[in-house]
Amino acid sequence: MDTLQLESAVHCLEPLCRGKMLQRLDEWPGGMVLHFRDEAVALLAHRAPLGLWRTTRKEEQPPRSAFVKQLAQRLRGFRLEGMSLPWADRIVRLDFSRTQLSKREDRLSLIAECFGGRGNIVLLDAEARIRLAWRWDGLEQARSRFLPSAVYTPASDQSGTNGDPLQRMAPSYRPWDEAGQAALAEALAQRPQGCQPWWRLRRAGAEILYPIVIPGWDVLAETPWERAIALPVGVPPKDLAYAAVLAQREAQQRKKLENIRADLARWEDPEQYRRMAHALFALPNAVHPGGPLHAQDHTVDPVQTIHIHVPAGKRLHQQAQWLMGQARRSERGRRQAQARLAAQGAEWERLQAFRTAWEQGNGDADLGRRGNRPLPSPGKAPESSAAAASCSTPFGQMWLDGFELLWGRNAKENDRLTFRVANPWDLWFHVQDLPGSHVLLRRPQRNAPVPESVILGAARIALQQSQCRAMSAEVDWTEAHHLQRRPGGGPGEVIYRHFHSRRVRRDDQA
């Protein structure tokens, strides 16, 4: 959508959603779906089709990204006050409000810059300060607009949507002759206010739906606005599963490439070691007092003076032999790192080729095999019980106010959950001094705030999944990096020193 299409979509959707409470947020490729009572609005800022769309999608897709989870948590209980297009470019603003029991009014605003790859979605407080963002800028950037607690500034001048009509249209739609521009200005001036039908237009074999008749385009038919701003059906819900798997694969592959490049940079040039060794062999085999040694390198023409560090008490020829061994180790390490880099580079190219095919609409493209296990198609049941066991999570799982809770069902699952699955900043819960499940509360990032109600709910799960038969018990919780395996203990036996405790009852309400 360009600015004119977005403006028309806002005029149509705003009366339908104004005053309604936000019931839930669903993940969607390139954005999210906001569900109100009897209405659902897709807000897409990163992937086509960009803009604001009406959708009738009812099936729930639990949020996967940390941003959508936190956004759903912060907008819980808020009502939509209005939609607007306050700036000239494709920037949509959704204002929300909530009245506390103390009659205090909370106000938040959701800003979506529908620019595609460089777009962003941010949550602002009542003072227009950024509280949450899809992506954050770095301080080293020339112009950092998206920083925590920074006042939001739009990407373009705040000239309003009533400026030059050419600046409100996509470049491929604009008439460039003076007569066409005059006719466009007249069509905009005569356009009725509010939500109006759209027009199906054609030019040179291309068809578009547009809220006004563009000079130079052939008019095919008038289209109801409900059909014009309905979310195109070319984006199937199963893309969400593929998008999550693809993003996870790319993050893992990117981390592998970074580690391999770090290993490659760690190994110095083997010839440098050999040059230092030959220079030491040319000197008498004396004991060096330690420190830098200046020696002549006769392997180059003209002869150069090089600086060699020799440990105290070592003979020069002994150090030269160590340098020759270091040259062999460096050669072997660089050779192995280059082979690994080539293999992982080919895997990265395969993932990028899949992304290109998938973004062009081939949602059934196969990600291929990871090891000996193929990627299951989302929505399809595994063909065997073994495949089902490999595809489903082995842990207990539930969602609580946007936070994921996992717990093990036996000692081996507890050990795997705590020491292989958990991030260092995840919160770990266990009933005090009694056998039971390890409960893990996944946090999207380090220092992410966790509501007290979520901590209470996780502690109740730890009590329910323990062998305690009392109505209440003490539950310990701590960050996962404080845990250690008990020396000589079996699977799932841990020790920890830094922790918090709280008494919970089975009938507590999270």
Side-chain angles (χ1 to χ4, degrees):
M1 288 185 174
D2 62 8
T3 304
L4 278 179
Q5 292 171 315
L6 265 177
E7 182 186 19
S8 181
V10 166
H11 285 324
C12 295
L13 292 175
E14 200 262 351
L16 299 178
C17 302
R18 189 194 313 121
K20 294 183 179 179
M21 182 177 293
L22 181 64
Q23 295 181 342
R24 76 172 193 263
L25 277 176
D26 284 353
E27 197 85 37
W28 193 263
M32 64 196 69
V33 178
L34 297 89
H35 288 269
F36 304 93
R37 180 168 51 85
D38 302 329
E39 291 294 336
V41 176
L43 185 61
L44 308 181
H46 296 266
R47 274 190 55 189
L50 298 172
L52 198 65
W53 303 90
R54 189 187 190 196
T55 176
T56 57
R57 201 170 141 265
K58 298 299 182 183
E59 62 273 14
E60 184 173 358
Q61 290 284 347
R64 297 175 182 269
S65 68
F67 171 78
V68 178
K69 292 178 184 177
Q70 295 182 53
L71 187 62
Q73 178 184 353
R74 299 198 182 189
L75 289 178
R76 187 181 182 91
F78 277 81
R79 296 180 181 273
L80 181 70
E81 290 296 318
M83 300 182 187
S84 60
L85 216 68
W87 297 289
D89 209 347
R90 297 150 293 164
I91 305 177
V92 184
R93 177 176 182 140
L94 284 75
D95 295 315
F96 294 89
S97 68
R98 179 179 63 184
T99 303
Q100 302 279 10
L101 292 176
S102 60
K103 305 302 181 182
R104 188 189 70 181
E105 191 88 6
D106 295 334
R107 294 189 177 276
L108 294 174
S109 297
L110 191 64
I111 304 292
E113 298 183 347
C114 304
F115 301 156
R118 62 187 182 90
N120 203 356
I121 301 177
V122 295
L123 183 68
L124 310 182
D125 59 14
E127 288 76 30
R129 297 188 179 276
I130 300 176
R131 295 305 178 193
L132 198 63
W134 185 291
R135 61 172 178 83
W136 298 101
D137 288 339
L139 293 175
E140 70 280 358
Q141 296 182 3
R143 185 178 179 223
S144 300
R145 293 195 299 125
F146 303 111
L147 297 175
S149 298
V151 176
Y152 171 75
T153 56
S156 58
D157 295 333
Q158 302 183 24
S159 56
T161 58
N162 293 322
D164 186 358
L166 290 182
Q167 301 303 319
R168 303 166 62 195
M169 301 180 63
S172 58
Y173 303 160
R174 300 175 185 175
W176 296 104
D177 57 299
E178 294 185 1
Q181 295 178 17
L184 174 65
E186 183 179 357
L188 285 174
Q190 297 178 355
R191 181 188 175 200
Q193 295 295 324
C195 186
Q196 300 295 329
W198 289 35
W199 301 90
R200 184 174 297 277
L201 309 176
R202 175 187 291 173
R203 184 183 66 181
E207 290 189 8
I208 61 169
L209 282 171
Y210 214 69
I212 63 171
V213 177
I214 306 176
W217 290 69
D218 298 329
V219 179
L220 298 182
E222 183 178 293
T223 303
W225 67 267
E226 297 90 343
R227 187 182 304 173
I229 64 173
L231 185 65
V233 297
V235 186
K238 69 178 181 179
D239 274 7
L240 294 174
Y242 277 104
V245 173
L246 180 57
Q248 181 182 15
R249 294 278 185 89
E250 287 180 334
Q252 293 172 349
Q253 200 65 26
R254 195 178 296 111
K255 185 65 175 178
K256 289 181 181 179
L257 289 173
E258 291 176 359
N259 292 339
I260 294 174
R261 293 191 180 101
D263 290 343
L264 193 59
R266 187 182 60 182
W267 295 107
E268 296 185 10
D269 185 6
E271 290 304 319
Q272 184 68 18
Y273 290 113
R274 291 194 178 93
R275 289 177 57 192
M276 292 188 291
H278 289 314
L280 291 180
F281 277 130
L283 297 175
N285 189 19
V287 177
H288 195 266
L293 174 68
H294 305 286
Q296 300 295 320
D297 181 14
H298 297 277
T299 61
V300 295
D301 189 19
V303 176
Q304 297 179 359
T305 300
I306 58 176
H307 307 282
I308 308 172
H309 178 80
V310 181
K314 266 202 173 182
R315 291 186 175 272
L316 299 185
H317 290 185
Q318 183 182 4
Q319 181 67 13
Q321 292 174 354
W322 181 85
L323 289 172
M324 292 297 290
Q326 191 70 5
R328 291 191 294 271
R329 286 188 288 270
S330 179
E331 274 186 345
R332 184 169 59 251
R334 289 173 66 88
R335 184 168 58 250
Q336 294 175 352
Q338 288 172 351
R340 290 164 52 209
L341 185 62
Q344 298 301 330
E347 177 68 13
W348 176 259
E349 292 179 358
R350 187 182 73 86
L351 287 177
Q352 295 309 300
F354 171 81
R355 174 172 285 282
T356 301
W358 175 68
E359 289 181 348
Q360 290 176 353
N362 186 9
D364 292 327
D366 185 14
L367 269 177
R369 293 177 175 268
R370 183 181 182 183
N372 293 323
R373 189 178 69 190
L375 174 73
S377 297
K380 295 183 179 179
E383 297 180 357
S384 65
S385 59
S390 65
C391 296
S392 60
T393 175
F395 311 113
Q397 182 186 37
M398 69 172 292
W399 291 85
L400 184 60
D401 289 345
F403 288 85
E404 183 182 15
L405 295 177
L406 301 173
W407 60 89
R409 299 186 180 95
N410 53 52
K412 290 185 177 180
E413 287 186 6
N414 285 342
D415 190 86
R416 181 168 178 264
L417 178 66
T418 300
F419 296 107
R420 297 184 61 184
V421 175
N423 294 317
W425 54 85
D426 289 339
L427 299 185
W428 179 90
F429 295 77
H430 194 279
V431 68
Q432 194 176 88
D433 299 329
L434 285 173
S437 297
H438 296 192
V439 177
L440 190 69
L441 192 156
R442 306 303 297 268
R443 286 203 291 179
Q445 58 187 357
R446 197 181 305 273
N447 298 326
V450 181
E452 187 69 18
S453 61
V454 177
I455 293 179
L456 175 61
R460 287 183 62 230
I461 294 295
L463 175 60
Q464 294 168 1
Q465 299 297 325
S466 71
Q467 295 184 12
C468 177
R469 296 296 177 260
M471 280 298 297
S472 64
E474 292 285 337
V475 174
D476 297 340
W477 60 278
T478 183
E479 291 188 340
H481 65 87
H482 291 308
L483 301 170
Q484 297 178 359
R485 287 188 173 92
R486 181 184 297 277
E493 296 187 15
V494 301
I495 57 175
Y496 50 92
R497 295 181 177 86
H498 304 281
F499 63 95
H500 304 273
S501 295
R502 68 175 302 162
R503 177 167 288 275
V504 294
R505 294 179 55 86
R506 294 181 184 274
D507 55 356
D508 284 340
Q509 295 299 319

